[in-house]
Amino acid sequence: MNTDQRQLISIVVPAFNEEAVLPKFHQTVAGVIAELPFDFEIVYINDGSSDNTLGVIKELRESDKQVTLIDLSRNFGKEIALSAGLQKAAGDAVVVIDADLQDPPELIPELISEWQNGYDVVYAQRTHRKGESLLKRTTAHFFYRIIQRISKIEIPEDTGDFRILSRRAVNALNTFDEQHRFMKGLFAWIGYRQKAVHYQRDPRHAGETKWNYWRLWNFALDGITSFTIAPLKISTYLGLLTAAGAFAYGIYMVIDTLIYGNPVPGYPSLIVIVLILGGVQLVAIGILGEYLGRIFNETKRRPLYLINEYLPSPEASGRQAADASTSQPG
Ligand code: UDP
Ligand code: MG
């Protein structure tokens, strides 16, 4: 890199049906970064939107040299859209931010200055959640508690994907080729020097959240199964416990019958035991299935995503990521 060139910072923005908020988002971000002494590249990933998100991004690109477009071939989900952005980002540091203005772009200068202080991962941690239901808040809280307990990875609570990553942190993430990506966990997994910056989270500016409870549940399952095998162990011990209980009860029954005879046919106890055992077995098989299904998906080794169209920003072209050779084709 030529020495009088300013450092390049990439801002990676996954967007799925965000036509309503993107212009406002772009305007805000462009305003925030205009004053900063860096070159910028804003990488929009259109994650198979069914609205005019792609058109909006292309329009932004006409008027702003900093815009990079990655148009994925279909909807792959946020985690993968994000991975596509990280692999294409050319910056010396990469900011990850949601398109819906829930992550305040005003925080970007602070993230950058902590990165300059030598941190590899500086994540934005929310202090409050306005405009989110009590149910979502409590389930989110529970999820972080549980995953903290049962996996060895410390995932900071109340933290989204909004953060800045140093080049070596991005390079590390780009070497991961697993299909089930729980980004928050992966961000924590890489380690290095990490730091939190605090802010207040606003309600979504426009458009709708793409996360219903079914999606969140699956997200939680991915988070847990990709970071810990504790549920497998739990089912083992649950099985052992049930078997030991049944064995003890069997001995008791034999002795009981020998001493007192068997005046009452044991239908109720029988049916209870059968049902409990059946239930426990089904749960254990289900847990096995969750892992097995993921192993199945990983063994197929399909590309993570396919790109329909890739238009790098004039600002960033020629300044390819240092490890472009190690990133995945796609
Ligand atoms: N997103 C995406 N693909 C999806 C779903 C969401 O790229 O399949 C993007 C979305 O456009 C937004 C970010 O991921 O920029 C966060 O999505 P959302 O606001 O719906 O999630 P929440 O803020 O409720 O966690
Ligand atoms: Mg949101």
Side-chain angles (χ1 to χ4, degrees), residues 275-294:
L275 287 180
I276 289 180
L277 278 182
V280 167
Q281 281 172 10
L282 282 180
V283 169
I285 292 171
I287 295 173
L288 274 179
E290 292 290 340
Y291 284 93
L292 189 68
R294 281 167 180 78

Side-chain angles (χ1 to χ4, degrees), residues 43-60:
V43 184
Y44 288 108
I45 303 104
N46 175 37
D47 187 17
S49 301
S50 55
D51 67 359
N52 191 34
T53 299
L54 180 62
V56 173
I57 298 172
K58 286 192 165 167
E59 249 165 57
L60 293 173

Side-chain angles (χ1 to χ4, degrees), residues 13-18 45 47 75-78 81 97-100 102 132 136 201 204 208-211 215:
V13 192
F16 175 57
N17 293 347
E18 301 285 8
I45 303 104
D47 187 17
N75 178 258
F76 284 90
K78 181 187 177 182
I97 186 170
D98 282 0
D100 58 8
Q102 274 186 301
E132 280 182 347
K136 181 157 179 190
R201 186 164 169 96
R204 196 173 225 292
E208 280 181 356
T209 177
K210 315 306 179 301
W211 296 95
R215 267 183 107 147

Side-chain angles (χ1 to χ4, degrees), residues 7 34 73 89 94 99 127 149 152 180 189 196 220 239 250 264 270 274-275 283 312:
Q7 283 186 300
S73 64
V94 179
T127 47
R149 278 274 163 83
K152 294 194 183 81
H180 292 271
W189 187 94
V264 187
L270 196 69
V274 167
L275 287 180
V283 169

Side-chain angles (χ1 to χ4, degrees), residues 1 13 33 36-37 44-45 87 115 171 179 183 227 244-245 260 268 272 299 316:
M1 207 199 330
V13 192
I33 63 180
L36 301 173
Y44 288 108
I45 303 104
Q87 281 178 351
W115 163 66
N171 288 351
Q179 301 278 334
M183 291 308 283
F227 277 93
Y260 301 108
V272 164
T299 53

